[in-house]
Amino acid sequence: GLFLVIHLGMTGQLQVKPSSQSPADHTHLIFHLEPGTDQLHFRDIRRFGSAQVFTGRDDLHRFFDGGRLGPEPFGLDPTRWRDSLKKSTRAIKAVLLDQGVVAGVGNIYADESLFLSRIHPASRSCDLSPKEAETLRRAIEEVLTFAIEKRGSTIRNYVGGSGLSGGYQDEFRAYGRGGEPCNRCATPIEVMRLAGRASHFCPRCQKVKPGRSPCSSRKS
DNA sequence: CACGACCCCTGGATGC
DNA sequence: TGCATCCAGGGGTCGT
C-alpha cells in the first residue's frame, strides 16, 4: 500500500473543510475523500513543512527507523534519557533540538522546558546530574502537555485563513520575552544564540553548570 | 563528531 | 503611503 507522512514544519496546518469552501491562501494539498464529503486541506504559509509518499512498508520503516528520529517526548525511558544526555558534550539546548535524541521538541518548547527546569541552555549536556536530567524530562512532558491543552503555540502572524492561533503563546515564560522580567524573580530575561537559534533564559534562575572537565566524551 | 554558514519561505516590524 | 531591510525558525547541505 501507500503511506503518507506529513511534517507540519512550523506553520503547517491540516484542516477539514466542506468541499464547497474554496481553499485558503497557501493551501498546497487537498485530499478529496469520499465524493460529496469534506476535504482535508494542507496549508503551510512558510513552506517548511513537507508531505511525502512511501510506496511500501520497507520504505516507511527505513524512514522512521533510520535513527533520524529519536523517541517521542512522552514516556521517555528515564534511564535511556539520562544516558543520552551523558553522551554529549554539546550545550543542552542543542541536544534538546536534536531530533535524533528526542523527536518533536523545537525552539519554543526547548526554552520553556529549560526555564521550568532551571537549567541554563548553554550548560553542557553531559554536566547535568541524574537529578537534573530527570527534572528536565518531566519538564518537557509538562510543558508539552500544557501547550497541547492550550492548542499549541501557533503565532497569530501565521494563522490567516480560517485557522486558529495557539493559546500557549500567551503562556510563554522565556521564549520571546527577552528584556521582560522573569515571572519567578523579576530579573530581565536574556537572549543568546545557541545552536543557531535564539535561546531565552533567566540569568538568575538558570545558572550555567560549572562543568566537570572530563565529561567522558563518548562515541556512538 | 560538532559547529557555523547558507539556503529554503512568508509576513510582521522597523526605518527612511 | 510605500518601499527596503531584517528577523523568526525546522531542517537539509556543505565546509571547517
Side-chain angles (χ1 to χ4, degrees), chain A residues 23-101:
Chain A
D25 288 348
H26 312 295
T27 298
H28 306 296
L29 282 174
I30 297 176
F31 296 94
H32 300 268
L33 309 175
E34 301 280 323
T37 68
D38 289 344
Q39 300 174 336
L40 182 64
H41 289 211
F42 176 51
R43 289 185 71 216
D44 187 5
I45 294 180
R46 295 284 284 280
R47 297 199 206 175
F48 283 168
S50 64
Q52 45 190 315
V53 172
F54 293 88
T55 53
R57 224 165 256 285
D58 291 345
D59 286 344
L60 191 67
H61 286 327
R62 260 195 296 280
F63 179 74
F64 280 111
D65 301 337
R68 221 178 43 81
L69 288 177
E72 287 284 320
F74 290 105
L76 285 173
D77 178 75
T79 306
R80 281 189 203 155
W81 171 248
R82 195 197 319 136
D83 288 347
S84 49
L85 295 195
K86 266 279 174 284
K87 278 183 199 163
S88 176
T89 58
R90 299 145 77 195
I92 184 61
K93 172 67 182 283
V95 172
L96 285 181
L97 293 179
D98 184 342
Q99 302 299 299
V101 174

Side-chain angles (χ1 to χ4, degrees), chain A residues 7-177:
Chain A
H7 190 316
L8 297 178
M10 285 181 61
T11 57
Q13 304 170 332
L14 286 170
Q15 298 172 320
V16 174
K17 289 169 168 283
S19 43
S20 57
Q21 195 170 334
S22 55
D25 288 348
H26 312 295
T27 298
H28 306 296
L29 282 174
I30 297 176
F31 296 94
H32 300 268
L33 309 175
E34 301 280 323
T37 68
D38 289 344
Q39 300 174 336
L40 182 64
H41 289 211
F42 176 51
R43 289 185 71 216
D44 187 5
I45 294 180
R46 295 284 284 280
R47 297 199 206 175
F48 283 168
S50 64
Q52 45 190 315
V53 172
F54 293 88
T55 53
R57 224 165 256 285
D58 291 345
D59 286 344
L60 191 67
H61 286 327
R62 260 195 296 280
F63 179 74
F64 280 111
D65 301 337
R68 221 178 43 81
L69 288 177
E72 287 284 320
F74 290 105
L76 285 173
D77 178 75
T79 306
R80 281 189 203 155
W81 171 248
R82 195 197 319 136
D83 288 347
S84 49
L85 295 195
K86 266 279 174 284
K87 278 183 199 163
S88 176
T89 58
R90 299 145 77 195
I92 184 61
K93 172 67 182 283
V95 172
L96 285 181
L97 293 179
D98 184 342
Q99 302 299 299
V101 174
V102 55
V105 178
N107 202 40
I108 289 174
Y109 300 123
D111 280 3
E112 294 298 309
S113 300
L114 289 169
F115 177 88
L116 190 57
S117 314
R118 300 176 188 249
I119 295 170
H120 194 290
S123 293
R124 280 198 308 183
S125 174
C126 55
D127 283 330
L128 298 188
S129 68
K131 187 180 171 186
E132 286 170 316
E134 180 61 11
T135 300
L136 180 55
R137 189 189 66 78
R138 290 186 184 162
I140 292 167
E141 285 200 354
E142 186 176 333
V143 163
L144 291 179
T145 300
F146 188 36
I148 289 167
E149 267 175 36
K150 292 284 182 177
R151 307 186 59 83
S153 304
T154 299
I155 310 295
R156 299 193 172 87
N157 309 356
Y158 299 134
V159 177
S162 56
L164 298 170
S165 62
Y168 194 66
Q169 66 188 285
D170 300 319
E171 309 290 338
F172 293 160
R173 287 184 275 185
Y175 180 83
R177 295 197 63 239

